[in-house]
Amino acid sequence: MVKRVGKYEIGRTLGEGTFGKVKFAVNTETGEKVAIKILDKEKVAKQAMGEQIKKEIAVMKMVKQRHVVNLIEARPSRPLCLLTPTLCRSVRH
């Protein structure tokens, strides 16, 4: 069964951290491949990191540069907060 969140089809887990997971996703309208950062708001609140997350979102919204991960969308919903940054491909030297 395929999981969907809004216009995104959610795939495999790319990574995990203290507050949640990063999942591979595809925008079903455009076909764009993205990473969705899914934050557990309860865990964020327990660590008093809400302001830090808000700052991260604000900075990511301001920065538009080709060598920096760009924030496509931020969607605070209960009990999760979804951040959709661009998907970075690994570079081999």
Side-chain angles (χ1 to χ4, degrees), residues 22-68:
V22 176
K23 299 271 193 175
F24 174 81
V26 177
N27 181 324
T28 57
E29 295 172 1
T30 65
E32 181 180 20
K33 295 173 183 173
V34 299
I36 293 190
K37 187 175 187 178
I38 304 167
L39 301 175
D40 183 323
K41 283 185 168 182
E42 190 175 301
K43 289 180 182 177
V44 170
K46 282 182 183 177
Q47 297 291 322
M49 293 295 289
E51 287 303 312
Q52 182 66 29
I53 301 298
K54 288 178 186 176
K55 286 178 188 176
E56 178 183 342
I57 292 169
V59 169
M60 288 181 77
K61 282 182 177 180
M62 289 188 309
V63 176
K64 299 291 181 208
Q65 213 273 344
R66 69 185 192 126
H67 298 294
V68 177

Side-chain angles (χ1 to χ4, degrees), residues 9-29:
E9 193 172 280
I10 308 298
R12 71 187 184 284
T13 299
L14 300 174
E16 291 186 46
T18 304
F19 303 117
K21 295 181 179 184
V22 176
K23 299 271 193 175
F24 174 81
V26 177
N27 181 324
T28 57
E29 295 172 1

Side-chain angles (χ1 to χ4, degrees), residues 89-93:
R89 297 182 185 274
S90 63
V91 178
R92 298 180 195 265
H93 295 278

